[in-house]
Every structure is written in C-alpha cells, then in structure tokens.
C-alpha cells in the first residue's frame, strides 16, 4: 500500500518539517500544495525535518486546482482530514486500498468548505473532547498515518528494535 500525505497550503515551517520527518520514517510520499506560508529552504523547516530530507519522496503542486486535476478524487482514494468530518479516522478500512491520499489543510483555516462539502463521504476526523478547535497539524498527520499503517500490519516497516535483534 502506498501512502500519500497531502499538505494544502501549509503555513508553519516547523509543522511541515515534522510532517516531512514522519513521511520519511513511514515511507509516505509528501505532497505540498502552494502557496506555502514559508520558503522550502526555510531553516526552521529544515531543522524540524532533521537529516531526513534525502530519504523523502516529495512532490510540489502549484495550486489545489492543479493537484485535483492530476489526482482526481473520483479516480483516487483521497480522504480529507477535518474537524468537520462525517467519519472518525478509525472507521475507514484503509487496508482495502492499494494507494491512499490523505489531505490536510492549512493550520489557520483547514481545507476549503466547498471541497469538504463535495467529498463529505471521504472526510475523516480525529475525536477530541470539548470545544477545542483542533490538534497540532503534525500530530494529526502522525495519528492518521500510523492508523493507516497499523491497518496494513506496518508492511515493510521494522517492528523490532535493533537492540533486540
């Protein structure tokens, strides 16, 4: 199973750096949809991603429209992470897909409302208590990515520490 993490107009370089590190550690491909709220050479972005940038598969897209034209949601398994979702992320059986895209929105606004309305059946959320707005973006990506990987048995991932081999 191929996992794709899609960041739609991310604004905070440290979050994107952390997400890049998660993608490198899990073998997920990272998609960055412009405009970005920072330069791709930003030192905070690089610091958060540490020395994993050369282990990362990354694809940039000029706009959300360009991404959707290339990866049409009608033909690809795209899930949209939002606090306004119809389904909890654990309700989806991700193991039945060969390739999955999970799109996350910008830190301040999330994903566009019209996109969420159009694909409401493919929206997923992470449960939270009370009236909190949302979790940190990089934490949300990690939670959803690892649930998807858990469902496929962490295929191709090392599950035993080198200290116990």
């Amino acid at each position: 199973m191929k996992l794709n993490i899609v960041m739609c107009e991310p604004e905070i370089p440290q979050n994107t750096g952390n997400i890049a590190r998660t993608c490198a550690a899990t073998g997920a491909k990272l998609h960055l949809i412009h405009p970005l709220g920072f330069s791709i050479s930003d030192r905070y972005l690089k610091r958060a991603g540490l020395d994993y940038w050369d282990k990362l598969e990354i694809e940039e897209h000029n706009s959300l429209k360009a991404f959707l034209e290339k990866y049409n949601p009608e033909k690809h398994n795209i899930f949209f992470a939002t606090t306004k979702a119809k389904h909890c992320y654990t309700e989806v059986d991700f193991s039945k897909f060969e390739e999955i895209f999970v799109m996350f929105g910008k830190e301040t606004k999330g994903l566009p409302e019209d996109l969420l309305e159009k694909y409401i059946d493919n929206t997923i959320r992470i449960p939270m208590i009370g009236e909190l707005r949302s979790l940190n973006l990089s934490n949300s990506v990690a939670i959803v990515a690892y649930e998807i990987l858990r469902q496929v048995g962490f295929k191709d991932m090392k599950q035993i520490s080198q200290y116990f081999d």
Side-chain angles (χ1 to χ4, degrees):
M1 190 270 307
K2 177 66 178 168
L3 176 58
N4 295 270
I5 299 297
V6 183
M7 306 308 304
C8 185
E9 303 177 7
E11 300 168 310
I12 301 173
Q14 294 90 334
N15 278 338
T16 302
N18 289 335
I19 291 163
R21 186 175 181 179
T22 297
C23 288
T26 60
K29 181 176 182 179
L30 177 62
H31 297 259
L32 296 176
I33 298 175
H34 289 255
L36 307 178
F38 50 85
S39 164
I40 198 75
S41 63
D42 190 295
R43 68 183 175 105
Y44 297 109
L45 176 73
K46 298 293 184 188
R47 183 182 306 159
L50 296 177
D51 57 351
Y52 297 122
W53 289 101
D54 64 331
K55 297 164 184 62
L56 177 65
E57 184 180 1
I58 188 167
E59 183 176 338
E60 294 184 55
H61 305 272
N62 290 330
S63 66
L64 177 58
K65 181 181 179 196
F67 173 84
L68 294 172
E69 286 173 359
K70 183 170 184 178
Y71 298 104
N72 182 337
E74 311 296 334
K75 298 177 182 173
H76 292 83
N77 302 306
I78 301 179
F79 294 89
F80 303 89
T82 174
T83 57
K84 304 167 183 93
K86 186 171 183 177
H87 304 284
C88 178
Y89 74 105
T90 57
E91 293 174 27
V92 179
D93 180 5
F94 295 106
S95 67
K96 65 184 180 181
F97 303 111
E98 287 186 37
E99 185 170 34
I100 297 168
F101 293 78
V102 183
M103 183 182 291
F104 296 84
K106 63 173 87 179
E107 288 89 342
T108 57
K109 296 182 182 176
L111 291 167
E113 293 288 330
D114 60 332
L115 183 70
L116 297 176
E117 289 173 13
K118 185 171 183 178
Y119 299 106
I120 191 69
D121 288 335
N122 282 22
T123 57
I124 56 173
R125 63 181 158 68
I126 299 169
M128 295 180 298
I129 61 171
E131 298 300 317
L132 296 175
R133 223 175 31 245
S134 65
L135 293 171
N136 173 275
L137 183 58
S138 63
N139 292 339
S140 297
V141 169
I143 289 167
V144 173
Y146 271 91
E147 171 60 17
I148 292 168
L149 295 167
R150 183 197 66 78
Q151 287 188 19
V152 297
F154 298 107
K155 187 175 184 311
D156 300 325
M157 296 179 77
K158 186 175 183 177
Q159 296 184 52
I160 298 174
S161 169
Q162 65 186 10
Y163 300 108
F164 299 105
D165 285 349

